[in-house]
Structures are given as structure tokens and as C-alpha cells.
Amino acid sequence: MNYIKNNIEIINEKIEKARIKSGRKDDKIKLLAVSKFHPAESVIEAINAGQTLFGENRVQEADKKFSQLYENYTNISLHLIGQLQSNKVKTAVKIAKCIQSVDRIPLLELIEKQCTIQNKNIEILLEVHTGEESKSGFDSEKELYNALDLLAQNKYPHIIPKGFMTMAPFTSDEKLIHKSFETLRKIQENCLKNYTNLELKELSMGMSNDYEIAIQEGSTIVRIGTAIFGERNY
Ligand SMILES: *Cc1c(COP(=O)(O)O)cnc(C)c1O
């Protein structure tokens, strides 16, 4: 039995079922396989099962794993999903196609600077706080909109904003989870009206325990670790 391949098939089926159940006509739900704390061999197993999109949350670990993998697998791409320290931006820009966890304006400045040096464009998502729990994400909506203003003015020509990311609170209360995802969707709807020159179509929301709810609320990228690779040994 191929454990990872089997899990990916099951998740893809569940994503499709949730999409149909939610009445969504679009088929734009991407599966991001979160391989943090799992070895390159597991990533390769996923690649062999047809998976091309991966997520990691720690830059050093991602660099070690994916610099190698890129040599043999040219069609895979990596999204960074963990809070990004300033001193890791250089490596982050080197290895990632997308940084989903942009949570402050100074980070945009640093990413733009590194992109200029490395002569590379990079996609980003803006991470927003939507739950009660204070985790990562922009501190305030004001700050978020300031960032969007700057992006809309093309202050960061190497940065391509694609949308938003959030984490729901860790709770079994499904109402709170719905509310968190709904909050992000409403922010997106508002921004699509106000920033017509930005694309912003992606909503990265939903993890192993709540991705079906996220899909009901309009998620376009689900970030799944445990349900694909198994429990992590921290
Ligand atoms: C680890 C992680 C995930 C995946 O979590 P699972 O519960 O294992 O699916 C998703 N998003 C972020 C930001 C993460 O850090």
C-alpha cells in the first residue's frame, strides 16, 4: 500500500465532493501538500502520486529539502506558509514561488529588495487574522489596507499579489470556523471592488481538520499536511 498516494487520492475526492456540495461552479481548488517535518522521500512519494504544489513553514528546512528536489523535479512549486523573519527573506525569495504569510509592510520592502537582487518576481498572499486567537497575520485591517494601497500603486514591481490567507481558530466549534473563513472572503470581496488593478483571486484557507468548511466558504487553496503525510514528530 502506498500511504501517501492513497491519502492524496482520498483528499482530492473529498475536495471535489465538498466543492459540489457547496454549489460552487468553479473548479479552482488547489491542493497544497504541507510537507513540513516530513523528509524529502515523502515529498517524492507525493510527486509520484501526481502532486506538484507543496508548502513549508520554516525557510531553512524548506531550503535544505527543496533545493535538492528542484534538481530532479522541475515542475514542482513551493509556497511558504509560516511567519517569515526578516533575516530569512533572501532564502525565501530564492526557493519559493509564493509567500503566503506576508503579514507586515516592512516585509514587502525586504521581499522587493531581494527580488531586485535575484532578478525574480514572486507571488504573495496577505495573511489576515480572522479568529479570536492572536496568531500571525496583519495586526489591523488598517495596516492591511495600507499594504494593498502600496501594492496597487505598484510600489513593489517584483511582487505579484494573488490574494489572502488565514488560519481558523483551533476549535471544534464549527460556527467559529465558518465565521473566520467568511471574514476573509468578505475582505476579499471588498478588495476586489476597491483594488480593481490587483488580481487577488486566491483564498488560502482550510487545513486537515477544516478544509471542507473552508471550501464551503470559497477557499481556492487548501493547505493539507497531516491528512496526507501523517502526524508530525516535532
Ligand atoms: C502546518 C500548517 C498547515 C497544515 O496543517 P495540517 O493540520 O497538518 O493539515 C496549514 N497551514 C499552515 C499555516 C501550517 O503551518
Side-chain angles (χ1 to χ4, degrees):
M1 265 308 282
N2 189 329
Y3 176 76
I4 290 171
K5 181 168 193 267
N6 198 36
N7 285 342
I8 288 175
E9 278 169 16
I10 291 168
I11 301 277
N12 277 322
E13 279 167 22
K14 286 189 174 172
I15 288 172
E16 183 58 9
K17 270 198 192 130
R19 183 184 72 80
I20 291 166
K21 193 177 153 204
S22 70
R24 286 173 59 178
K25 301 264 184 323
D26 57 312
D27 57 357
K28 303 273 162 54
I29 302 166
K30 294 192 263 291
L31 172 59
L32 183 81
V34 179
S35 50
K36 65 189 188 196
F37 290 90
H38 293 282
E41 292 71 51
S42 297
V43 177
I44 291 169
E45 246 184 271
I47 294 169
N48 290 335
Q51 182 67 28
T52 56
L53 188 58
F54 293 90
E56 289 276 341
N57 73 338
R58 298 190 310 179
V59 173
Q60 264 163 327
E61 178 188 345
D63 185 27
K64 228 174 131 215
K65 221 182 284 180
F66 279 83
S67 295
Q68 289 272 320
L69 286 165
Y70 285 146
E71 288 178 15
N72 296 311
Y73 302 95
T74 49
N75 67 336
I76 58 172
S77 48
L78 178 68
H79 288 201
L80 289 171
I81 58 175
Q83 196 167 34
L84 184 55
Q85 291 169 275
S86 303
N87 62 356
K88 303 275 164 56
V89 170
K90 181 179 174 185
T91 311
V93 166
K94 184 188 82 178
I95 58 171
K97 173 160 194 248
C98 177
I99 298 173
Q100 292 202 1
S101 41
V102 172
D103 59 0
R104 56 196 193 274
I105 290 169
L107 196 53
L108 289 171
E109 309 275 348
L110 291 172
I111 292 170
E112 175 61 27
K113 201 170 134 205
Q114 274 306 321
C115 283
T116 307
I117 293 169
Q118 298 184 31
N119 189 25
K120 176 182 175 178
N121 289 346
I122 198 158
E123 298 175 358
I124 61 147
L125 302 181
L126 299 161
E127 184 174 358
V128 184
H129 263 309
T130 56
E132 293 301 303
E133 270 161 293
S134 271
K135 281 191 188 152
S136 38
F138 272 87
D139 279 335
S140 68
E141 283 205 17
K142 185 165 179 281
E143 186 76 354
L144 172 69
Y145 287 110
N146 285 341
L148 282 157
D149 287 342
L150 293 167
L151 288 161
Q153 291 158 21
N154 204 22
K155 282 268 178 2
Y156 311 109
H158 294 84
I159 297 178
I160 309 155
K162 299 288 277 188
F164 304 91
M165 187 267 246
T166 199
M167 276 168 98
F170 188 70
T171 170
S172 56
D173 185 341
E174 290 201 0
K175 272 206 191 104
L176 287 179
I177 298 172
H178 270 284
K179 199 163 159 252
S180 165
F181 294 148
E182 187 192 9
T183 301
L184 194 69
R185 194 188 67 232
K186 289 200 164 144
I187 288 172
Q188 181 202 32
E189 282 165 5
N190 188 36
C191 290
L192 286 173
K193 272 184 230 135
N194 288 304
Y195 301 99
T196 47
N197 66 334
L198 300 179
E199 200 178 336
L200 305 175
K201 66 173 202 272
E202 305 288 357
L203 283 178
S204 171
M205 50 192 205
M207 306 174 24
S208 292
N209 289 324
D210 56 19
Y211 69 94
E212 284 156 304
I213 299 176
I215 289 168
Q216 285 177 44
E217 295 293 349
S219 174
T220 64
I221 304 173
V222 291
R223 309 181 306 268
I224 314 279
T226 312
I228 292 175
F229 296 106
E231 293 293 331
R232 291 179 284 272
N233 294 313
Y234 290 106

